[in-house]
Structures are given as structure tokens and as C-alpha cells.
Amino acid sequence: MERVRPQAESLREQALGIIRDAITSGELAEDRIYSAAGLAKQLGISLSPVREAMMALVTEGTVEAVPNRGFRLVTITEADLEEIIAIRVLLAVPAARSLAEAGSEDIVGRNQRAGEDAASGSATKAVAVTRLRGLAEATVTAVEAGDYAEFYTQDRRFHEALLEHGLGGRAAAISLRLRDQSRLYRRQDQIGAIAEDSARELPKIVDLIESGNAAEAAELVTSNLYFFKRVPADADG
């Protein structure tokens, strides 16, 4: 299955993005060992960038190397998942609050520190809201079509954008590494209605951010990150 990534990315970054999406969507399973060559063929990308990307994921703790065989995803326990989500909430809540509370002066200052033109500051929140709304709508569209792999991918991109605009690229990178390790798709046999509810929360989060309602935006972001808790207790069976 060939994928398209932004042209500005290096081959390694493209491969890493594609592999992250495959992990998020459940296309790569925890109980299999993957060779770099096999992954390159499966994902429709070049071998060398795949090797580099997989070694980067080993360093992050998402993947482990199996000597003379290849790579496999690190198994995540329920306790691991709880810890991962708790940390992601610590990042996502201030990101949502920052965006909701942002005024043009605050954003201008942030852009100037980042070396951007101050004149673009007043439009930054609008740009963020537009991007987030587009990703939120794509997530809803995917889940309504029953495409849960695409749902997980678009949901991941929504939360990446929220962190990027609210706190910055470093916070987004940390949260994404944790997201890749959580692999919520393991419960997809009972995820239908729950995924739909989760997806429909994203446009509401955008509305709250746009209207400046920081408290409710933070509360809904937290609930959204913990959506796996809505799965019945016997779903593990």
C-alpha cells in the first residue's frame, strides 16, 4: 500500500511517518517480527530509510530489535497505557488552554521568539483552528465510513496538531512517541460506537478553543484521551 508524505520531508522522515501511521492503525501487529526488507515492501517505501526509521523507533522504545530476525513492537500492558495517557494529558491540557486563551499579542510574542514575522501573529490562532477543524472533520468522516485504521491515523494527526500549535514541536514529538506506544486499536472489536463518540468530540474541542473556553476545552481533551476507558471491562476477554 503506497503512501504519500510531504515532499519537504527527508526519506527517513517520510518512512518514519508512514511506519508510525501503520503502527497507530494496527497494520503492524505486536505478535509479529518484521524484517526491514519486508516492511519496505509492505509499506511501499525504500529499504534504507525503513532501517533508519526502525532504529529510531527502537531508540524511542516503541520497537525492539530481534537479533538476526528484524523488529517487533514492544508489548504494552494496561499499567503502561494508564501511565502513557496520564503523561499525554499533562501535555495536552496546557496546549488546549494555551490555544483557547491565546490573544494576538500573546501569539505575536511566541512567533517572534520562533523567528517568525510578527505580522502573522494575529492570524495564528485562526490558522490553528482551521487546521484542527479539518483534521477533526476527517476523523469523523473516517469513523462514519467504518474505516477505523483511518480514524486512528486522523485522530493521531489531530492531537499532533493540537500540541504543535498549543505548546510547540517538541511537546508534539513527545506526545506522539507516547501515542505510538499506546496502540489503542487492540480493542477495535468493540470500538465502533466508542470511536464514533470520540471522533465527534474533536469538532467540539475545536469549537471550545475557538470560543476561548479554556476550562471546558481542557476537560474535553482529557476525556477524549481516556476514551479507551469507555470500553466495557469484559472487552479484554
Side-chain angles (χ1 to χ4, degrees):
M1 177 186 310
E2 189 171 356
R3 292 160 168 81
V4 177
R5 298 286 300 182
Q7 292 298 314
E9 292 182 340
S10 69
L11 291 176
R12 174 187 174 280
E13 289 171 335
Q14 289 183 44
L16 190 54
I18 289 168
I19 293 168
R20 287 190 192 282
D21 284 348
I23 291 171
T24 300
S25 68
E27 189 173 347
L28 301 186
E30 285 186 351
D31 57 355
R32 287 189 56 190
I33 296 174
Y34 297 91
S35 68
L39 270 177
K41 182 177 180 180
Q42 178 180 340
L43 302 175
I45 47 183
S46 303
L47 176 57
S48 181
V50 167
R51 279 204 194 94
E52 293 177 12
M54 293 304 285
M55 291 310 300
L57 291 171
V58 169
T59 301
E60 292 178 4
T62 303
V63 167
E64 61 184 358
V66 182
N68 303 316
R69 298 186 66 187
F71 305 90
R72 67 182 165 207
L73 302 183
V74 173
T75 300
I76 298 299
T77 67
E78 291 301 307
D80 293 331
L81 186 54
E82 289 280 357
E83 182 180 6
I84 286 167
I85 300 301
I87 296 169
R88 291 185 64 206
V89 167
L90 290 176
L91 293 170
V93 165
R97 284 186 172 278
S98 175
L99 275 175
E101 295 171 349
S104 60
E105 291 182 3
D106 296 332
I107 297 175
V108 167
R110 186 189 308 163
N111 287 348
Q112 286 176 324
R113 289 192 294 275
E116 298 175 14
D117 185 85
S120 67
S122 60
T124 299
K125 181 171 180 176
V127 169
V129 165
T130 298
R131 182 184 176 197
L132 288 168
R133 194 173 298 284
L135 292 168
E137 290 171 355
T139 308
V140 173
T141 298
V143 82
E144 287 179 344
D147 188 345
Y148 297 113
E150 183 68 7
F151 157 72
Y152 284 114
T153 296
Q154 294 299 331
D155 178 81
R156 180 184 188 277
R157 290 174 180 169
F158 175 89
H159 286 283
E160 176 184 16
L162 177 69
L163 268 292
E164 282 182 353
H165 288 290
L167 290 183
R170 290 184 181 87
I174 292 168
S175 184
L176 285 181
R177 287 198 293 272
L178 293 169
R179 169 64 182 262
D180 291 343
Q181 293 172 20
S182 62
R183 297 194 285 282
L184 303 178
Y185 62 80
R186 289 179 298 161
R187 299 169 177 265
Q188 64 186 13
D189 58 330
Q190 296 198 17
I191 211 68
I194 296 164
E196 191 166 330
D197 288 344
S198 176
R200 292 186 188 285
E201 288 176 351
L202 302 189
K204 295 177 183 177
I205 291 170
V206 179
D207 289 342
L208 291 168
I209 287 172
E210 186 173 30
S211 66
N213 193 330
E216 289 191 26
E219 183 177 348
L220 190 53
V221 163
T222 300
S223 173
N224 189 261
L225 288 173
Y226 276 104
F227 91 96
F228 71 96
K229 285 285 197 180
R230 306 170 201 179
V231 178
D234 61 0
D236 292 327

